[in-house]
Amino acid sequence: MTLDVAPAWFVQTKYRAGITRITEPYVHPLLRASIWHLQGSDRDVFIDAGLGIASLRNSFPHLFARSPLLLLTHAHLDHAGGAYEFDDIGVHESEADEVRQPRAASLYADALCKHLGTTLNVLGSRLPPVLLDAVPEEHFDIDSFHVRAAAATQTLVENDSIDLGSRRLTVLELPGHSPGSLGFLDSESGALFTGDALYDGTLLDDLAHSSATDYRATMTHLLSLEFAVAYPGHGPPLSPRKARAICRKYLARTQEEPTTSEHA
């Protein structure tokens, strides 16, 4: 299959002061993760890094001027693929090895499903054979795509604090989608970054290493939080009302009543 070359691989959308969303518009929504850039007075952070098939550093050199910290919500290919471009990476300890030695990955739908331990029926029978509408450069080889290894420099756990000077993030453990899924809360501004624990779409809890039991506890945890805006791993920001509706819908769908989370 021959695909056109994209005129620009990334698109930026600025939200509140100091928060920018970067996306890969030519990637199928299944893998079109949100890359969040947060500006602090002392240091900046990226939350997730996309697929890594085009260079974030070359596309946005000004965002790398102060050696930003990369915070990974989890180690799936669409969030950790670009981690190799960062010198300082934080991730949950249960997923640090996967960052160092990434699992097999693919941009072909059927192969990707096998790697993720799921089926096309779960992810949607309308998935196209190739999960790209274009390529980042003329000689990009879809068959050779793989997630590059990166070195996690710090492991993160519940209630760890990340100080950016004018902004401080608190680490939240949000397992379910993956064992070490993380979120990050700026309690002063009310910004909540949820990764794939919460977004407006089908929440995936039956991949290899997923846990519906953990996911239910995570939903209860999220329902207990006070926040102003949720910035998810896929799609645009969510209001607290919308985010909580997603949590309750998941709990209802899995036929479990909300229970007190150990994190609450």
Side-chain angles (χ1 to χ4, degrees), residues 42-57:
D42 295 344
R43 194 178 191 187
D44 298 350
V45 300
F46 279 80
I47 297 177
D48 291 335
L51 281 167
I53 62 179
S55 172
L56 275 168
R57 186 178 288 269

Side-chain angles (χ1 to χ4, degrees), residues 53-193:
I53 62 179
S55 172
L56 275 168
R57 186 178 288 269
N58 291 343
S59 299
F60 306 105
H62 61 292
L63 298 184
F64 283 79
R66 297 197 295 168
S67 300
L69 167 66
L70 172 63
L71 300 174
L72 291 175
T73 61
H74 61 299
H76 287 164
L77 73 162
D78 49 333
H79 297 262
Y84 70 92
E85 295 200 275
F86 292 82
D87 298 322
D88 196 359
I89 302 170
V91 65
H92 191 271
E93 60 184 356
S94 67
E95 304 202 19
D97 286 344
E98 188 173 343
V99 174
R100 298 185 189 101
Q101 296 181 309
R103 292 187 224 171
S106 179
L107 298 173
Y108 292 101
D110 56 351
L112 178 64
C113 289
K114 292 176 183 177
H115 296 321
L116 292 177
T118 187
T119 66
L120 282 172
N121 289 335
V122 172
L123 297 183
S125 58
R126 298 179 184 175
L127 285 178
V130 179
L131 298 173
L132 300 179
D133 294 329
V135 291
E137 56 188 29
E138 183 178 358
H139 299 294
F140 179 80
D141 183 4
I142 295 175
D143 293 340
S144 298
F145 170 75
H146 63 282
V147 177
R148 303 191 207 183
T153 54
Q154 53 184 293
T155 54
L156 304 172
V157 297
E158 179 83 4
N159 291 325
D160 277 353
S161 182
I162 299 162
D163 188 359
L164 306 180
S166 58
R167 160 188 331 263
R168 185 183 297 271
L169 301 176
T170 299
V171 176
L172 307 172
E173 293 186 12
L174 304 175
H177 178 75
S178 72
S181 285
L182 295 175
F184 305 94
L185 175 63
D186 179 349
S187 57
E188 184 172 341
S189 71
L192 171 64
F193 298 87

